Each structure stands twice: as structure tokens, then as C-alpha cells.
Amino acid sequence: MVLSKAMNLFWKQGYAATSVQDLVNHLGINRASLYDTFGDKEQLFKKSFDLYRKQNLAWLSTFFQNHPNVKSGFSKLFDVAIKEAVNDKDRKGCFVVKYYN
């Protein structure tokens, strides 16, 4: 999915550090297609962020349904977040913070 690929590029590089040419190269589409489909870079970022938010809210909802004890659920959530951050070869960090970098 093109939007997922854009989301991952923005997440890895940050909004400011991702050029339209980076997006064109990474997504394998031409500029005209990017603009026709998504609008400008900011609109594509907002759509990417919306996808990120929806995916994470769905994951969190399922996670907490499977961990009904709040204390142990949050403890496990932090364990998972730390392990993912440590094992992330791209060191993406927080998608939201990357907007401002």
C-alpha cells in the first residue's frame, strides 16, 4: 500500500527531512501521480498520520481487551514499547515528534 510506505518514510525521516523527491523515489510513483492522488506533501503526511493513528488505536484496543487488568496491561504495554524501540533498526522513535524534526 502506497500510503503505508509513505507513512513509514515520514516516520523514519521526519516531515521536514522528507522531500517530495524522496517520496517519489520511495513510493515508485511520479510527481504528477503523487499530487493527483494525495495533493501536496502536507496532505500526504496528514493522511499518513491518520493511517498511523488508526492502526495504533486498533492495536491498543485489542491489546487492552486482552489485558483487562489496568496495572498489568500498562506494565506490559511499556515492556512492548521498550522492546520495539530497542529492536527497531531504523530508530524511528515517535511518529508525532518526527513531524517537528
Side-chain angles (χ1 to χ4, degrees), residues 5-100:
K5 287 176 76 174
M7 177 189 74
N8 285 315
L9 185 62
F10 281 126
W11 192 1
K12 181 179 177 182
Q13 295 185 184
Y15 176 81
T18 302
S19 69
V20 172
Q21 190 60 49
D22 291 336
L23 290 163
V24 166
N25 293 342
H26 187 73
L27 302 177
I29 60 176
N30 62 45
R31 284 178 183 262
S33 294
L34 188 144
Y35 289 118
D36 289 343
T37 304
F38 300 105
D40 62 12
K41 175 183 151 181
E42 185 175 2
Q43 289 174 339
L44 176 55
F45 176 82
K46 287 178 179 178
K47 290 174 185 175
S48 297
F49 180 72
D50 189 49
L51 175 63
Y52 171 85
R53 187 179 60 79
K54 286 178 182 175
Q55 287 178 344
N56 280 284
L57 286 174
W59 183 87
L60 281 170
S61 177
T62 301
F63 180 86
F64 280 113
Q65 287 174 9
N66 292 325
H67 296 86
N69 179 289
V70 174
K71 185 176 179 180
S72 67
F74 271 104
S75 178
K76 180 67 175 169
L77 177 65
F78 287 123
D79 288 343
V80 169
I82 291 167
K83 285 178 187 173
E84 285 183 5
V86 168
N87 294 324
D88 181 6
K89 65 180 172 67
D90 292 326
R91 302 285 189 228
K92 292 185 299 287
C94 178
F95 187 92
V96 176
V97 171
K98 289 288 187 159
Y99 177 73
Y100 297 102

